[in-house]
Structures are given as structure tokens and as C-alpha cells.
Amino acid sequence: MISLRPYQAKADAEVVEAWRAGKKRVLLQLPTGGGKTIMFNHRAAIAAQKGFRVLIVADRRELIQQAWSRLWQASGIHGGIIMSGHSPAYMLPVQIASVQTLNRRSFPPDMDIVIIDEARGSVADSYKPIFEFYKDSYFLGVDATPIRANGQGFDHLYDHMVCGPTIKDLEAMGSLVPGKPYINPLDPRLLDKIKLTAGDYNEKELSEMMSNQQMTADLVASKLKFAKG
């Protein structure tokens, strides 16, 4: 079984306490590096061992593979993967799904807990069928930065929010190595030229800007100067 750090155990206990109090849809905020995947896999493993069924939903292939491998390595639980290139195995107690593939296939039945990674995306239309189909299930949304650029909130989806420690707190307790920024080659005024799509920066235009030859060269030069080896 996954062993949680004290701050993770505290946040996990607050999630369970909210569920027991009738707040069935909980949003958990935990900074990058705080161990969100470890935490929701811990909760999924406990649920599976008690005979419950769990659905973990993500929107990127690497997040799905990461959740599957960590669940297997830490708890020995083999989860089913609902994603292109994988055959469904709905009989397994834990299912890890791509939101895109999930909407194209039949939803796995009888899910007691639905966990949504990168939960700021759960306001998108692609998640509506999930909330509707599993309207009687317990939900746990997990995100480092549950905020939308357009100011849209999450209170229409979630009943309660659990906030973990800040990055400064994690650094102070020795859970994160303090960061040392040396250079920022990005002129913030460049972002003003990027269009907004659904409240966030247009991914194609942002990618093109970040792939600029001069910016890439600056990043490589900085790495060689400050972090070689």
C-alpha cells in the first residue's frame, strides 16, 4: 500500500471527511510536486480493496500511463485502461480512462468513485456526460491550479474544496527542493499576442511562440551555464 506523507494523509482525511458529511463532489488542490497522483492512487487502492469500483479520468496519454504504472508499482493493482490502442477490461475494479475515448465507448458501469486528474478541465463539455452518467457516485477532482483564465468557477460541479500546503510550505518541510530561478527569456508582452480559446491560451499559437529559435537557444544556453550535468 502507498505510504503517504503527513500533509498528504491530512488532505486525504479531509476529502473522506467531506464525503462522509454528504459533500459528494470534492476538489483537491495540491501544488506541482506535492504528489497528486500518489494521493488519488492511494484513495483508489483503498476503495478497490474494500470492494468498490473506481474510475480515474485524465485528458492526456502520459497522465493515464503514469497513473496506471504508479498504481501497479505501489499497490499491485492492475487497472483497466480505456484509451485508443488498449482493449477494454471493464471487469477490473479500477479503470483509468482518456476522457476522449470514454465518450466514444460505453461507460464502465457501477463506479462508486470518479477521480478527475487536472480537474480544471472538468468544466469542458466533454466532461458533462461523465457527471451525468455517474450522478450518484462520489467525485474527487485533483489539480495544482484549479483556476480558469476566464474566471469561471467550479462550484457548479464540486461541493467542497480541500487545499493542501503551498509550494513554500513544501519547501520548508523538506518535501520540495527550493527553486533557484536564474533567467526568464520570455518577454511577457509576447503573451498579449496569443489568442484565447475557451478562456486559456490557444495551444497552437502558444506552442509556436515557445518554439521560437531564439527562445530555444536561450534555454539551451542557460541549461549549459547553470545546470550542466
Side-chain angles (χ1 to χ4, degrees), residues 2-76:
I2 302 170
S3 178
L4 298 184
R5 293 177 174 178
Y7 71 86
Q8 294 171 332
K10 180 177 181 293
D12 179 70
E14 290 181 21
V15 170
V16 174
E17 182 181 351
W19 281 345
R20 288 174 175 166
K23 299 171 182 176
K24 297 184 70 172
R25 296 181 176 182
V26 178
L27 182 59
L28 170 64
Q29 182 274 329
L30 191 65
T32 300
K36 294 180 294 297
T37 305
I38 290 172
M39 285 191 62
F40 69 65
N41 275 342
H42 169 79
R43 184 48 40 199
I46 289 178
Q49 289 175 355
K50 292 183 177 181
F52 297 109
R53 285 172 57 78
V54 182
L55 174 65
I56 299 172
V57 184
D59 66 352
R60 299 204 308 274
R61 183 173 292 269
E62 61 268 24
L63 293 177
I64 294 166
Q65 297 288 3
Q66 175 180 285
W68 185 93
S69 61
R70 290 190 178 177
L71 184 66
W72 170 253
Q73 292 166 5
S75 304

Side-chain angles (χ1 to χ4, degrees), residues 125-214:
D125 288 343
S126 57
Y127 284 85
K128 285 183 180 179
I130 298 172
F131 282 98
E132 292 172 358
F133 188 85
Y134 299 111
K135 62 182 183 297
D136 297 324
S137 303
Y138 289 87
F139 274 76
L140 175 61
V142 182
D143 207 307
T145 53
I147 186 172
R148 302 285 288 188
N150 63 0
Q152 181 180 9
F154 299 88
D155 53 357
H156 64 298
L157 295 177
Y158 300 96
D159 308 318
H160 183 72
M161 185 171 182
V162 173
C163 290
T166 65
I167 290 178
K168 289 290 187 183
D169 292 334
L170 293 175
E171 290 177 351
M173 65 180 70
S175 295
L176 282 182
V177 176
K180 293 182 179 180
Y182 289 102
I183 186 170
N184 176 14
L186 175 64
D187 183 345
R189 291 173 296 182
L190 292 173
L191 292 172
D192 296 336
K193 302 177 182 179
I194 304 297
K195 294 178 183 177
L196 294 179
T197 302
D200 288 326
Y201 290 118
N202 180 278
E203 288 191 11
K204 183 175 183 295
E205 292 187 11
L206 186 63
S207 176
E208 289 174 353
M209 186 194 78
M210 296 301 292
S211 299
N212 175 280
Q213 287 186 350
Q214 182 60 50

